Amino acid sequence: MSSFYTYDFLFDNVPSQTYNIQIANFDGGGLFSGVGAPDASIHSQKVYRQDKEYYFGRSLDTVLEFPISFASKNVLSGMDRALISKWLFGRSGYKKFQIIQDDLNGAWFNCMFINPTPLYVGNINRGFTARCKCDSPYAYSPLRTVSRTFSGNNIITYDFTIYNDSDNDDYLYPNISFELNTVGNSFSMVNSDDDDREFLFTGLLASEKIVIDSTLQTVTSSTGLLRLSNFNKHWLRLVPGINHLHVESGIGTFTITYYNRVAVGA
């Protein structure tokens, strides 16, 4: 067998060193040499007697999936294999998977490992081969956070920028939370690079805290009240590239969190 390279990793926040196992890359090829950029399905329609198709959008229908091998430098006993299998395979949902590799810059996958098969080297069981099936066409960057705190009890106007450098050429929907001060009853954030789209809450209570999950489209209030009716339903979104944002509110703090999308193997 030709030479191989190994990489440490984290899966479900457990380091691979716990089980003395690593990702094995045989034959010296790139770890993601068989993974390409996500393919898009084009949605269009041809109109009678027109010589062009009308474009309605595109969707990325195929999630990221690639083969992977896990190997140990030591012989794996039956007990070792059972513990590793319980950790890596047959999990009840997607788990965070991060490969400790310099050129990935901390990117991670939300994935499951499927189709596990014992891996033999010299007729000795050293690990497993499997397929990594992700929940999207992309990996994710480390968490990005933009947070601001304002002193006093005044109506604040504040301008700032966020650069969306995701590899996905589409809107990015971050999560956002904010807490009003004692004179606050509304919260407005306008993105001038998204046609002045306004993210707006009105009719809130002083010192109320609101948490918005833009992926699940949920709104949670510290008062326990249902606040979706106080929201204009313009979920905060970031366009590719620079985003100039303007906040106006009786605000104490706000925090925006998001993961950039990362194309691996493109």
Side-chain angles (χ1 to χ4, degrees):
M1 177 174 292
S2 42
S3 62
F4 65 95
Y5 302 89
T6 58
Y7 306 87
D8 292 322
F9 66 96
L10 294 166
F11 183 66
D12 194 19
N13 295 317
V14 177
S16 58
Q17 294 94 329
T18 303
Y19 298 98
N20 195 26
I21 197 167
Q22 296 173 300
I23 297 169
N25 177 24
F26 295 94
D27 299 321
L31 186 57
F32 302 104
S33 58
V35 182
D39 192 19
S41 295
I42 305 301
H43 303 287
S44 61
Q45 184 172 339
K46 193 87 169 3
V47 178
Y48 182 60
R49 290 184 175 177
Q50 296 291 326
D51 59 359
K52 62 177 259 183
E53 288 188 342
Y54 288 87
Y55 174 75
F56 297 117
R58 66 99 171 98
S59 60
L60 302 178
D61 300 325
T62 304
V63 297
L64 183 63
E65 185 174 335
F66 53 90
I68 195 163
S69 298
F70 303 101
S72 175
K73 296 177 182 178
N74 302 322
V75 177
L76 294 177
S77 68
M79 182 175 292
D80 292 333
R81 293 195 298 271
L83 290 172
I84 293 169
S85 294
K86 183 178 180 180
W87 169 46
L88 293 178
F89 309 121
R91 302 300 300 270
S92 58
Y94 293 105
K95 305 297 181 183
K96 184 177 181 178
F97 171 47
Q98 182 178 355
I99 302 170
I100 312 304
Q101 183 179 343
D102 290 343
D103 59 357
L104 288 178
N105 296 320
W108 57 279
F109 307 89
N110 200 34
C111 69
M112 291 186 285
F113 298 123
I114 60 175
N115 302 330
T117 303
L119 173 65
Y120 287 89
V121 179
N123 295 321
I124 298 175
N125 181 237
R126 298 279 188 176
F128 303 89
T129 62
R131 293 195 66 81
C132 179
K133 185 176 179 61
C134 302
D135 69 342
S136 85
Y138 297 96
Y140 300 93
S141 75
L143 182 67
R144 307 287 180 88
T145 301
V146 178
S147 185
R148 300 290 185 270
T149 299
F150 305 95
S151 60
N153 289 290
N154 306 298
I155 301 300
I156 300 297
T157 58
Y158 181 73
D159 296 297
F160 67 105
T161 61
I162 294 179
Y163 190 78
N164 171 15
D165 59 351
S166 284
D167 291 328
N168 184 7
D169 186 25
D170 204 345
Y171 296 117
L172 180 65
Y173 289 85
N175 293 334
I176 180 170
S177 63
F178 62 87
E179 184 171 2
L180 300 178
N181 58 29
T182 58
V183 300
N185 61 10
S186 65
F187 181 84
S188 169
M189 182 176 289
V190 175
N191 188 345
S192 62
D193 294 285
D194 189 14
D195 296 325
D196 289 327
R197 179 184 172 95
E198 183 179 26
F199 169 92
L200 176 65
F201 278 85
T202 58
L204 302 178
L205 299 177
S207 302
E208 184 171 353
K209 183 177 181 179
I210 298 289
V211 178
I212 299 96
D213 186 319
S214 296
T215 301
L216 299 177
Q217 294 193 344
T218 59
V219 176
T220 305
S221 169
S222 59
T223 66
L225 298 173
L226 301 179
R227 289 304 197 188
L228 197 60
S229 61
N230 299 85
F231 177 39
N232 68 352
K233 314 301 190 298
H234 290 174
W235 305 94
L236 181 64
R237 64 190 189 186
L238 305 176
V239 300
I242 194 71
N243 290 260
H244 293 84
L245 299 161
H246 174 79
V247 172
E248 188 165 341
S249 173
I251 188 76
T253 65
F254 74 83
T255 300
I256 297 172
T257 58
Y258 61 99
Y259 297 99
N260 281 330
R261 305 312 190 243
V262 181
V264 175

